[in-house]
Amino acid sequence: MMWLNTTKKGKEMRDEMLDHSAEVYVGLKDKIMASDKYQKMTKHEYVKMVQELVNKYAIDNGLAENVKKMVEKLVIAQWNHLKSELKK
């Protein structure tokens, strides 16, 4: 993890993962908002949806397995943020 913050290549990789995570999150949010179930969504359902979308995104964008896992973790960590956005 320190490598992602201290080296030029690591910083580029970190920024790339954050960009991928943001793309997945926006797509996920749109998909959830289009559903009539978004107000009753549980974290478990959210995690399953994230895993499915990240797997598809990783294939479509040729992400390495370790990058895919980091993107998945970053998007899953946005559960509370998404809940607060959906309440608005």
Side-chain angles (χ1 to χ4, degrees):
M1 288 304 286
M2 195 167 146
W3 175 80
L4 291 172
N5 293 311
T6 58
T7 66
K8 182 178 179 182
K9 183 69 176 167
K11 289 176 184 177
E12 290 171 0
M13 177 71 87
R14 183 193 67 214
D15 290 344
E16 190 176 311
M17 281 190 296
L18 291 173
D19 289 343
H20 290 306
S21 299
E23 282 185 49
V24 171
Y25 179 79
V26 168
L28 177 66
K29 182 180 167 189
D30 292 344
K31 185 174 181 175
I32 290 171
M33 292 298 290
S35 167
D36 58 344
K37 298 178 183 180
Y38 74 89
Q39 292 178 336
K40 297 178 184 177
M41 179 172 273
T42 65
K43 184 171 183 181
H44 178 74
E45 292 169 327
Y46 173 78
V47 169
K48 287 182 79 172
M49 191 177 272
V50 168
Q51 291 169 336
E52 291 170 10
L53 285 174
V54 170
N55 283 335
K56 182 179 179 338
Y57 183 89
I59 291 168
D60 293 346
N61 293 281
L63 299 185
E65 186 66 25
N66 60 338
V67 174
K68 180 183 100 168
K69 287 180 182 180
M70 287 299 294
V71 168
E72 187 176 290
K73 285 181 184 181
L74 288 167
V75 177
I76 288 172
Q78 295 301 312
W79 166 245
N80 289 328
H81 179 72
L82 178 68
K83 281 193 331 184
S84 66
E85 280 191 66
L86 294 177
K87 289 180 183 179
K88 294 179 183 178

